[in-house]
mmCIF file of all heavy atoms in Angstrom:
data_model
loop_
_atom_site.group_PDB
_atom_site.id
_atom_site.type_symbol
_atom_site.label_atom_id
_atom_site.label_comp_id
_atom_site.label_asym_id
_atom_site.label_seq_id
_atom_site.Cartn_x
_atom_site.Cartn_y
_atom_site.Cartn_z
ATOM 1 N N TRP A 11 -53.246 16.670 12.511
ATOM 2 C CA TRP A 11 -52.624 17.218 13.712
ATOM 3 C C TRP A 11 -51.109 17.301 13.519
ATOM 4 O O TRP A 11 -50.461 16.301 13.189
ATOM 5 C CB TRP A 11 -52.917 16.319 14.908
ATOM 6 C CG TRP A 11 -54.367 16.217 15.282
ATOM 7 C CD1 TRP A 11 -55.397 15.813 14.491
ATOM 8 C CD2 TRP A 11 -54.941 16.497 16.562
ATOM 9 N NE1 TRP A 11 -56.574 15.816 15.189
ATOM 10 C CE2 TRP A 11 -56.319 16.233 16.467
ATOM 11 C CE3 TRP A 11 -54.398 16.927 17.785
ATOM 12 C CZ2 TRP A 11 -57.180 16.399 17.552
ATOM 13 C CZ3 TRP A 11 -55.258 17.091 18.863
ATOM 14 C CH2 TRP A 11 -56.633 16.837 18.737
ATOM 15 N N GLY A 38 -73.866 15.891 23.507
ATOM 16 C CA GLY A 38 -73.574 15.230 24.766
ATOM 17 C C GLY A 38 -73.509 13.718 24.621
ATOM 18 O O GLY A 38 -73.085 13.011 25.522
ATOM 19 N N PRO A 46 -61.373 2.684 15.377
ATOM 20 C CA PRO A 46 -60.703 2.938 16.654
ATOM 21 C C PRO A 46 -59.312 3.486 16.407
ATOM 22 O O PRO A 46 -58.721 3.274 15.349
ATOM 23 C CB PRO A 46 -60.640 1.542 17.300
ATOM 24 C CG PRO A 46 -61.660 0.726 16.582
ATOM 25 C CD PRO A 46 -61.716 1.273 15.186
ATOM 26 N N LEU A 53 -50.693 5.121 8.068
ATOM 27 C CA LEU A 53 -51.691 4.920 7.027
ATOM 28 C C LEU A 53 -51.566 5.974 5.937
ATOM 29 O O LEU A 53 -51.331 7.154 6.212
ATOM 30 C CB LEU A 53 -53.101 4.987 7.626
ATOM 31 C CG LEU A 53 -53.403 3.976 8.739
ATOM 32 C CD1 LEU A 53 -54.806 4.214 9.281
ATOM 33 C CD2 LEU A 53 -53.258 2.549 8.227
ATOM 34 N N SER A 80 -54.254 17.088 26.536
ATOM 35 C CA SER A 80 -53.779 16.399 27.739
ATOM 36 C C SER A 80 -54.248 14.947 27.704
ATOM 37 O O SER A 80 -55.396 14.652 28.052
ATOM 38 C CB SER A 80 -54.314 17.080 29.002
ATOM 39 O OG SER A 80 -53.901 18.416 29.066
ATOM 40 N N ALA A 83 -53.719 9.216 29.823
ATOM 41 C CA ALA A 83 -52.713 8.297 30.370
ATOM 42 C C ALA A 83 -51.363 8.977 30.598
ATOM 43 O O ALA A 83 -50.375 8.319 30.895
ATOM 44 C CB ALA A 83 -52.533 7.110 29.439
ATOM 45 N N LEU A 93 -55.281 21.286 11.387
ATOM 46 C CA LEU A 93 -55.964 21.764 10.186
ATOM 47 C C LEU A 93 -57.202 20.910 9.951
ATOM 48 O O LEU A 93 -57.136 19.679 10.000
ATOM 49 C CB LEU A 93 -55.047 21.671 8.962
ATOM 50 C CG LEU A 93 -53.867 22.632 8.891
ATOM 51 C CD1 LEU A 93 -53.124 22.433 7.576
ATOM 52 C CD2 LEU A 93 -54.308 24.081 9.042
ATOM 53 N N ASP A 110 -60.311 29.353 -2.415
ATOM 54 C CA ASP A 110 -59.752 28.727 -3.619
ATOM 55 C C ASP A 110 -59.656 27.216 -3.359
ATOM 56 O O ASP A 110 -58.692 26.733 -2.762
ATOM 57 C CB ASP A 110 -58.364 29.312 -3.900
ATOM 58 C CG ASP A 110 -57.769 28.815 -5.214
ATOM 59 O OD1 ASP A 110 -58.215 27.762 -5.717
ATOM 60 O OD2 ASP A 110 -56.847 29.476 -5.726
ATOM 61 N N MET A 124 -46.130 14.163 2.230
ATOM 62 C CA MET A 124 -45.025 14.344 3.159
ATOM 63 C C MET A 124 -45.070 13.391 4.351
ATOM 64 O O MET A 124 -44.071 13.255 5.071
ATOM 65 C CB MET A 124 -45.007 15.785 3.679
ATOM 66 C CG MET A 124 -44.745 16.831 2.606
ATOM 67 S SD MET A 124 -43.185 16.599 1.719
ATOM 68 C CE MET A 124 -42.018 17.006 3.015
ATOM 69 N N GLY A 128 -51.515 8.036 11.739
ATOM 70 C CA GLY A 128 -52.430 7.239 12.548
ATOM 71 C C GLY A 128 -53.799 7.884 12.417
ATOM 72 O O GLY A 128 -53.907 9.095 12.208
ATOM 73 N N ASN A 134 -70.526 11.138 14.576
ATOM 74 C CA ASN A 134 -71.041 11.930 15.690
ATOM 75 C C ASN A 134 -72.445 12.440 15.404
ATOM 76 O O ASN A 134 -72.888 12.497 14.250
ATOM 77 C CB ASN A 134 -70.113 13.128 15.949
ATOM 78 C CG ASN A 134 -68.698 12.681 16.291
ATOM 79 O OD1 ASN A 134 -68.488 11.947 17.235
ATOM 80 N ND2 ASN A 134 -67.725 13.121 15.492
ATOM 81 N N SER A 143 -66.117 12.550 11.844
ATOM 82 C CA SER A 143 -64.837 13.139 12.209
ATOM 83 C C SER A 143 -63.747 12.134 11.873
ATOM 84 O O SER A 143 -63.777 10.999 12.349
ATOM 85 C CB SER A 143 -64.810 13.462 13.709
ATOM 86 O OG SER A 143 -63.503 13.807 14.116
ATOM 87 N N ARG A 152 -42.065 11.279 6.348
ATOM 88 C CA ARG A 152 -41.503 10.541 5.215
ATOM 89 C C ARG A 152 -40.138 11.053 4.783
ATOM 90 O O ARG A 152 -39.387 10.334 4.127
ATOM 91 C CB ARG A 152 -42.465 10.594 4.022
ATOM 92 C CG ARG A 152 -43.793 9.883 4.268
ATOM 93 C CD ARG A 152 -44.640 9.887 3.025
ATOM 94 N NE ARG A 152 -43.998 9.157 1.938
ATOM 95 C CZ ARG A 152 -44.489 9.060 0.698
ATOM 96 N NH1 ARG A 152 -45.631 9.650 0.403
ATOM 97 N NH2 ARG A 152 -43.854 8.385 -0.226
ATOM 98 N N PRO A 158 -37.853 16.487 0.420
ATOM 99 C CA PRO A 158 -38.185 15.322 -0.417
ATOM 100 C C PRO A 158 -36.987 14.612 -1.026
ATOM 101 O O PRO A 158 -37.113 13.486 -1.514
ATOM 102 C CB PRO A 158 -39.085 15.931 -1.504
ATOM 103 C CG PRO A 158 -39.647 17.160 -0.893
ATOM 104 C CD PRO A 158 -38.548 17.696 -0.014
ATOM 105 N N LYS A 169 -36.579 -13.074 8.522
ATOM 106 C CA LYS A 169 -37.411 -13.818 9.470
ATOM 107 C C LYS A 169 -36.681 -14.184 10.755
ATOM 108 O O LYS A 169 -37.295 -14.477 11.775
ATOM 109 C CB LYS A 169 -37.951 -15.080 8.803
ATOM 110 C CG LYS A 169 -38.921 -14.798 7.660
ATOM 111 C CD LYS A 169 -39.426 -16.079 7.027
ATOM 112 C CE LYS A 169 -40.398 -15.779 5.903
ATOM 113 N NZ LYS A 169 -40.893 -17.034 5.242
ATOM 114 N N SER A 176 -31.960 -1.401 4.427
ATOM 115 C CA SER A 176 -32.883 -0.347 4.827
ATOM 116 C C SER A 176 -33.691 0.100 3.618
ATOM 117 O O SER A 176 -33.309 -0.151 2.467
ATOM 118 C CB SER A 176 -32.123 0.839 5.431
ATOM 119 O OG SER A 176 -31.213 1.381 4.491
ATOM 120 N N ASP A 182 -48.268 1.179 6.313
ATOM 121 C CA ASP A 182 -48.733 -0.159 6.707
ATOM 122 C C ASP A 182 -49.985 -0.539 5.930
ATOM 123 O O ASP A 182 -50.248 -1.715 5.688
ATOM 124 C CB ASP A 182 -49.032 -0.186 8.211
ATOM 125 C CG ASP A 182 -47.786 0.062 9.042
ATOM 126 O OD1 ASP A 182 -46.803 -0.679 8.866
ATOM 127 O OD2 ASP A 182 -47.796 1.003 9.860
ATOM 128 N N ALA A 199 -50.358 -0.676 -2.700
ATOM 129 C CA ALA A 199 -49.892 -1.155 -4.008
ATOM 130 C C ALA A 199 -48.376 -1.107 -4.032
ATOM 131 O O ALA A 199 -47.756 -0.190 -3.495
ATOM 132 C CB ALA A 199 -50.469 -0.265 -5.113
#
Side-chain angles (χ1 to χ4, degrees):
W11 296 57
L53 302 177
S80 301
L93 290 183
D110 186 340
M124 296 302 290
N134 300 302
S143 170
R152 295 184 63 184
K169 294 180 179 179
S176 60
D182 296 304

